[in-house]
Amino acid sequence: MSRAFNRKKDKSWMHTPEALAKHFIAYNAKFLGNTEVDQPKGTEVVRDAVRKLKFQRHIKKSEGQKIPKVELQISIYGVKILDPKTKDVQHNCQLHRISFCADDKTDKRIFTFICKDSESNKHLCYVFDSEKCAEEITLTIGQAFDLAYKKFLESGGKDVETRKQIGSLQKRIQELETENSELKKHLQTLEEQLLIAQVPPGGGNSKVPTDIFDMVPFSPVAPLVPLPASNASPPPPPARPAEIRKDLFGAEPFDPFTCGAADFPPDIQSRLDEMQRQRWRGSKWD
């Protein structure tokens, strides 16, 4: 990384190594934004980026928009840009992706750094405004680099690869949490739609349809339930169709309601005919 703070590298750092290695140093600043640059380093590169973002901020200020405030958390693992109230991480710039850092010589409130985006692989220049801490923030980032480089030499280069894996895992966790939240919302919507579909029209007071005589139509599916007896005793079971009984001589009993004229024996049939003729004669002469 090209450092604009080399002018003070012979002086002692302002923070303890433990503060940056085990924790972080927090600063408050105003975030002018970020913009893509062609080169990963260079004073002229960041100067053009500062001019561009300052011009955009002047336009937004004239429209009534204020410069948002952010919190910077600097450690040997990178620079996090958070919302100062909610602590939500807006940008996580890993240290090994930062290629340049500088404070503006003409404007003591402005400091910048260039970081390579992990998704697009584009170099983005981040610009901040801090009235009192611009130079101190730049030196703190420089100290983080110095400690990270020493740790890199001590670990033989394994520490950088570990940080890359941790960064990838953290990013994947954030993506899965976002996806999980969206799935929960979608599931809740489906459950609400299912509950609405189960409620019949009219608030659940559904009426059985009837025919033109206001009678409930017969349904072969719904079995008929016998009414209980008046003495509250259970109704008798349905009688099975009994077999046709026969008399002592093995003949079926005579049933005039079920037998036709042709079913009578000849002698009985002739007797019935004679009775019918006599009845007809008697009615004729009366």
Side-chain angles (χ1 to χ4, degrees):
M1 169 183 172
S2 300
R3 305 174 186 173
F5 40 77
N6 284 339
R7 62 187 183 276
K8 292 190 177 183
K9 70 177 183 178
D10 296 333
K11 295 186 178 181
S12 60
W13 297 112
M14 54 181 50
H15 304 289
T16 61
E18 291 77 11
L20 289 168
K22 298 181 179 180
H23 304 283
F24 58 84
I25 304 299
Y27 292 98
N28 292 321
K30 294 180 180 180
F31 186 32
L32 274 68
N34 58 34
T35 183
E36 183 181 357
V37 293
D38 298 331
Q39 301 296 327
K41 59 183 178 179
T43 305
E44 290 298 327
V45 175
V46 296
R47 187 175 294 159
D48 293 340
V50 170
R51 289 198 200 99
K52 179 179 179 180
L53 291 175
K54 278 187 174 181
F55 179 74
Q56 292 178 357
R57 279 299 166 188
H58 280 305
I59 295 177
K60 292 182 179 180
K61 188 175 180 180
S62 63
E63 295 175 352
Q65 298 184 19
K66 296 182 179 180
I67 302 176
K69 295 181 180 180
V70 295
E71 178 182 323
L72 300 176
Q73 294 182 356
I74 304 172
S75 68
I76 62 173
Y77 301 106
V79 180
K80 289 184 179 180
I81 305 172
L82 301 88
D83 185 287
K85 295 182 179 180
T86 63
K87 302 299 180 181
D88 293 334
V89 179
Q90 299 176 357
H91 302 277
N92 186 11
C93 303
Q94 299 175 355
L95 204 66
H96 67 276
R97 292 185 174 274
I98 298 177
S99 56
F100 189 82
C101 181
D103 54 271
D104 197 342
K105 306 300 182 297
T106 58
D107 191 344
K108 298 297 182 179
R109 302 178 307 172
I110 301 297
F111 69 95
T112 66
F113 64 81
I114 298 176
C115 180
K116 188 176 183 180
D117 185 65
S118 59
E119 296 182 357
S120 62
N121 285 329
K122 296 179 180 179
H123 291 93
L124 303 177
C125 182
Y126 293 78
V127 181
F128 302 88
D129 184 342
S130 178
E131 295 182 0
K132 301 178 180 180
C133 304
E135 185 177 8
E136 181 179 340
I137 294 173
T138 305
L139 292 174
T140 302
I141 297 177
Q143 184 179 0
F145 266 99
D146 186 71
L147 293 173
Y149 182 68
K150 290 180 180 179
K151 193 172 183 180
F152 169 77
L153 295 177
E154 293 173 357
S155 63
K158 296 180 180 180
D159 187 63
V160 175
E161 186 63 28
T162 302
R163 288 204 303 270
K164 290 181 180 179
Q165 294 177 0
I166 292 175
S168 300
L169 290 175
Q170 289 176 345
K171 181 181 177 182
R172 181 57 180 162
I173 289 173
Q174 292 178 355
E175 292 176 352
L176 291 175
E177 288 178 349
T178 303
E179 183 179 353
N180 188 31
S181 178
E182 294 177 354
L183 289 175
K184 285 183 178 179
K185 293 180 181 178
H186 184 60
L187 180 61
Q188 184 178 0
T189 303
L190 292 178
E191 289 178 350
E192 293 176 355
Q193 293 177 355
L194 182 60
L195 291 175
I196 295 175
Q198 289 178 347
V199 177
N205 297 326
S206 58
K207 185 178 180 181
V208 179
T210 57
D211 55 14
I212 58 175
F213 302 103
D214 199 22
M215 300 290 290
V216 178
F218 169 72
S219 175
V221 179
L224 296 176
V225 180
L227 295 176
S230 58
N231 57 358
S233 61
R240 297 182 180 179
E243 297 181 356
I244 300 177
R245 294 176 296 175
K246 298 182 180 180
D247 56 14
L248 296 176
F249 303 97
E252 295 180 358
F254 169 71
D255 189 354
F257 295 100
T258 58
C259 295
D263 295 333
F264 294 112
D267 54 344
I268 296 177
Q269 182 65 44
S270 59
R271 181 63 179 166
L272 289 175
D273 293 340
E274 181 64 22
M275 291 172 66
Q276 183 68 25
R277 284 195 295 270
Q278 291 177 1
R279 182 180 181 185
W280 180 78
R281 289 171 184 172
S283 62
K284 181 177 180 182
W285 296 105
D286 288 342

